[in-house]
Amino acid sequence: FLFSWSVAAGRAQVQQEPLAESTEGTGITINCSHPNIATYELIYWYRQLPGRGPEFLESILRGSKEVRSPSGRLSMAADRRSSSLWLARPRRGDAAVYYCALGG
């Protein structure tokens, strides 16, 4: 199972679905809404494995980019009001809290 939680960063509210589930090896998309994002701000994605500290995955300003570990892709909507993290083949060891944060 893969989990995500909501994070409020500064003046802008970042929103995520509270729970996302997938069977092992089945691709999953985790979404993040950031309707008040400013032109210069990036979205940072992290995950926190059980009993561990947060681990930085990738950041994005626009477009999309590959995420190496866990294997997948991070995409920003054309209007930049939302982003999504797609995990191609999640394994049991990828079960974690996945979250996004807004930053300059």
Side-chain angles (χ1 to χ4, degrees), residues 5 7 14-16 32 34 43-46 98-102:
W5 64 21
V7 179
V14 175
Q15 299 173 328
Q16 295 177 260
C32 176
H34 30 83
I43 291 293
Y44 298 83
W45 279 80
Y46 300 83
Y98 287 79
Y99 58 98
C100 61
L102 192 61

Side-chain angles (χ1 to χ4, degrees), residues 5-69:
W5 64 21
S6 296
V7 179
R11 57 170 181 76
Q13 182 70 30
V14 175
Q15 299 173 328
Q16 295 177 260
E17 66 268 26
L19 176 65
E21 297 181 345
S22 173
T23 56
E24 190 169 18
T26 301
I28 185 173
T29 300
I30 303 172
N31 298 303
C32 176
S33 174
H34 30 83
N36 299 318
I37 190 170
T39 305
Y40 59 87
E41 290 177 312
L42 287 82
I43 291 293
Y44 298 83
W45 279 80
Y46 300 83
R47 73 173 177 179
Q48 189 165 12
L49 297 164
R52 308 275 291 275
E55 169 192 2
F56 172 72
L57 298 179
E58 193 57 80
S59 63
I60 190 167
L61 181 65
R62 61 178 58 89
S64 65
K65 58 170 63 175
E66 182 182 352
V67 178
R68 290 181 142 187
S69 180

Side-chain angles (χ1 to χ4, degrees), residues 57-102:
L57 298 179
E58 193 57 80
S59 63
I60 190 167
L61 181 65
R62 61 178 58 89
S64 65
K65 58 170 63 175
E66 182 182 352
V67 178
R68 290 181 142 187
S69 180
S71 177
R73 192 154 203 84
L74 176 57
S75 301
M76 178 75 82
D79 64 5
R80 294 192 6 101
R81 292 166 59 90
S82 64
S83 59
S84 60
L85 176 64
W86 175 67
L87 304 182
R89 293 173 298 279
R91 302 176 182 174
R92 186 171 297 273
D94 293 321
V97 174
Y98 287 79
Y99 58 98
C100 61
L102 192 61

